[in-house]
Amino acid sequence: MDKFVINGGNALRGEIPVNGSKNSALPALAAALLTAEPVTLHRIPRVRDIRTMQRLLVDVGAKVDVEDGAVRLEAAKIVSPEAPYELVKTMRASSLVLGPLVARAGRARVSLPGGCAIGARPINLHIFGLEQLGARIEQSHGYIEAVAPDGLRGASVHFDRITVTGTEDLMMAAVLAKGETVLRNAAREPEVMDLAELLIKMGAKIEGAGTSTIRIQGVAELGGAEHTIIADRIEAGTFMVAGAITGGDVTVTGCNVEHVGALVAKLQQAGAEVTQPGADSVRVRATGKLRSVDMTTEEYPGFATDLQAQYMALMTQAEGIAIIVETIFENRFMHAQEMARMGANIRVDGKQAMVAGPRALSGAGVIASDLRASASLVLAALVAKGETVIDRVYHIDRGYEKIEQKLAAAGARIERVE
Ligand code: EPZ
């Protein structure tokens, strides 16, 4: 298993480019199952979760070719509409094939995901939505089986809680349903909008993506399309925090600044200087002291839960007490104990963490527990005195492409060792 060895203390300087969004690419890949024609996707990040999804699509019957950064998918026939436990347990987003498979093949068998490091994360809302669309769903042996032999029919679906992949899954099911589907209390994340754009290029009729009410007129079939995935806002945010936490001057390029608006506001309140040198770049400079600023995670356009851990690392270096409230997942503070081992002063009480700073961090051996927690430990290590060894970096490889090379190019002393 690979580890990162990081020697902290260098201020990061220079440009750091971002990749295409993992969380946009995953549903886009699944959407290719909705048509027999080829779908070509550009800017797909080369990260482990994407490889897992590609494997799943091949198992289902799709042809997947990766060339020059583009992924070409062709699902001429659905051979086996199943997502096995072996894949779902490594990546919960596998449940994104549920909607497309029922819509296209009239049948899907998908393993239930079970618990995960950041909380229970059930998929009851995906199931509820599909039932509203007329699928019959049964659960046995850890799998759910959904059947709709005569096809799905449009319906009104009200999510009683906002769910990102749930909205995406239902959108993909509804595009081939008979009649109109209205999704209410839908997720407004940029990744949902990106998926809608791709589906529209494939011939779907969708209005309102990016708002909380999405209207879909089902069509009989979809065709091929070519689409470029949006920039990864979480990767961008992670590098922005890297600039601020190291007292550096980092320009993150190839991103959509609007998508990181909530983080920009927090960085500015904390005393960092944030400017926009170009249409798709954002510069973060932190020359003076940082101030503590409270933060609560929310659905988009609020502060992303996927940046909460990185923000906590930043607050260990800020003057005062910051209260961080996690409202999306019930167990997403695992990084706090690891940061405490590096000298941070953090108290966790249920959904709330209190971070008192600034504290001089010192390098230590720490363990990455999930994707974003690992990123936050890298950030903490960049300012810690001495050497930090981060174990289990396979978590970080799920969602960041070559993060160590990107950070090293900006002056970080970080190395991957086997
Ligand atoms: C997506 O997960 C992202 N994953 C997550 O990214 C992200 O943290 C999360 O949205 C929130 O922004 C992908 O896009 C592939 P949810 P998702 O359904 O869709 C509860 C990362 O680090 N819920 O919006 O699975 C759920 O337990 C990750 O890249 C139900 O109760 O999250 C959670 O508390 C990890 N029933 C809340 O809703 C359901 O059926 C929001 O989850 C579905 C969700």
Side-chain angles (χ1 to χ4, degrees):
M1 259 188 286
D2 290 2
K3 296 177 185 181
F4 280 161
V5 178
I6 300 172
N7 275 284
N10 282 8
L12 298 201
R13 290 185 199 288
E15 291 191 354
I16 310 186
V18 297
N19 285 89
S21 157
K22 164 186 81 89
N23 287 349
S24 217
L26 288 169
L29 290 166
L33 295 176
L34 288 163
T35 175
E37 291 183 15
V39 172
T40 303
L41 300 171
H42 298 276
R43 213 180 178 190
I44 297 283
R46 268 173 281 188
V47 297
R48 204 156 57 94
D49 274 7
I50 296 297
R51 286 193 289 275
T52 307
M53 181 59 96
Q54 287 171 353
R55 245 176 71 202
L56 175 52
L57 297 185
V58 169
D59 283 1
V60 165
K63 234 175 115 242
V64 180
D65 294 309
V66 183
E67 47 190 58
D68 298 335
V71 176
R72 187 177 182 277
L73 305 115
E74 191 172 344
K77 214 168 150 236
I78 304 295
V79 179
S80 155
E82 176 161 332
Y85 180 58
E86 288 65 44
L87 291 181
V88 178
K89 75 176 182 210
T90 63
M91 189 187 68
R92 303 177 42 84
S94 310
S95 51
L96 279 167
V97 298
L98 184 57
L101 285 177
V102 191
R104 169 98 186 274
R107 196 163 69 85
R109 188 168 180 267
V110 173
S111 169
L112 282 163
C116 86
I118 60 177
R121 301 184 75 190
I123 56 161
N124 58 307
L125 298 171
H126 302 229
I127 297 171
F128 166 76
L130 286 171
E131 281 175 338
Q132 303 302 103
L133 263 61
R136 268 189 292 116
I137 298 193
E138 275 179 25
Q139 186 181 328
S140 65
H141 308 293
Y143 279 75
I144 63 157
E145 291 215 37
V147 289
D150 302 322
L152 298 168
R153 49 182 156 67
S156 167
V157 178
H158 189 115
F159 294 105
D160 57 19
R161 167 161 202 178
I162 296 175
T163 160
V164 179
T165 50
T167 302
E168 293 163 348
D169 215 2
L170 262 289
M171 207 158 72
M172 289 189 278
V175 288
L176 288 181
K178 286 190 197 82
E180 184 183 68
T181 296
V182 184
L183 305 179
R184 293 201 167 80
N185 201 23
R188 293 178 290 163
E189 267 64 6
E191 293 77 18
V192 173
M193 284 173 73
D194 197 29
L195 174 64
E197 252 184 56
L198 166 64
L199 293 170
I200 290 167
K201 286 181 189 166
M202 292 167 69
K205 296 201 169 114
I206 303 173
E207 276 174 17
T211 75
S212 55
T213 303
I214 304 178
R215 282 177 197 279
I216 301 149
Q217 304 291 340
V219 296
E221 57 178 27
L222 296 178
E226 191 157 349
H227 182 68
T228 301
I229 299 298
I230 56 170
D232 196 312
R233 62 193 168 102
I234 307 302
E235 190 194 19
T238 304
F239 296 142
M240 289 163 69
V241 174
I245 197 171
T246 59
D249 182 352
V250 164
T251 301
V252 179
T253 60
C255 63
N256 184 328
V257 186
E258 198 184 318
H259 293 170
V260 286
L263 175 64
V264 169
K266 288 294 171 198
L267 289 175
Q268 287 171 331
Q269 289 162 39
E273 195 184 311
V274 185
T275 52
Q276 212 182 318
D280 66 349
S281 60
V282 59
R283 180 175 180 186
V284 178
R285 263 181 295 184
T287 40
K289 279 187 182 162
L290 291 167
R291 292 184 294 275
S292 292
V293 181
D294 295 348
M295 184 277 282
T296 299
T297 61
E298 279 168 20
E299 290 90 2
Y300 188 82
F303 195 102
T305 172
D306 290 347
L307 285 170
Q308 176 259 107
Q310 299 88 316
Y311 187 77
M312 183 180 284
L314 181 71
M315 285 299 105
T316 67
Q317 301 307 300
E319 179 102 40
I321 291 176
I323 307 285
I324 297 178
V325 184
E326 171 58 58
T327 67
I328 309 293
F329 293 111
E330 64 270 29
N331 188 27
R332 210 176 194 180
F333 283 138
M334 306 264 274
H335 41 279
Q337 287 100 325
E338 299 301 305
M339 285 181 202
R341 299 194 58 252
M342 298 172 73
N345 184 357
I346 306 171
R347 210 165 63 212
V348 174
D349 184 9
K351 286 175 153 189
Q352 190 171 301
M354 199 176 79
V355 188
R359 290 283 286 230
L361 302 184
S362 59
V366 290
I367 291 185
S369 56
D370 75 73
L371 168 57
R372 308 304 172 186
S374 340
S376 75
L377 295 176
V378 170
L379 295 173
L382 291 178
V383 281
K385 198 161 189 294
E387 184 176 280
T388 298
V389 179
I390 304 181
D391 206 347
R392 300 194 194 163
V393 298
Y394 58 84
H395 283 295
I396 214 164
D397 294 332
R398 290 184 52 191
Y400 292 87
E401 186 179 327
K402 299 191 180 135
I403 190 172
E404 72 279 20
Q405 293 179 19
K406 290 186 180 187
L407 292 172
R413 284 177 292 171
I414 174 169
E415 230 183 297
R416 180 187 289 263
V417 295
E418 290 197 1

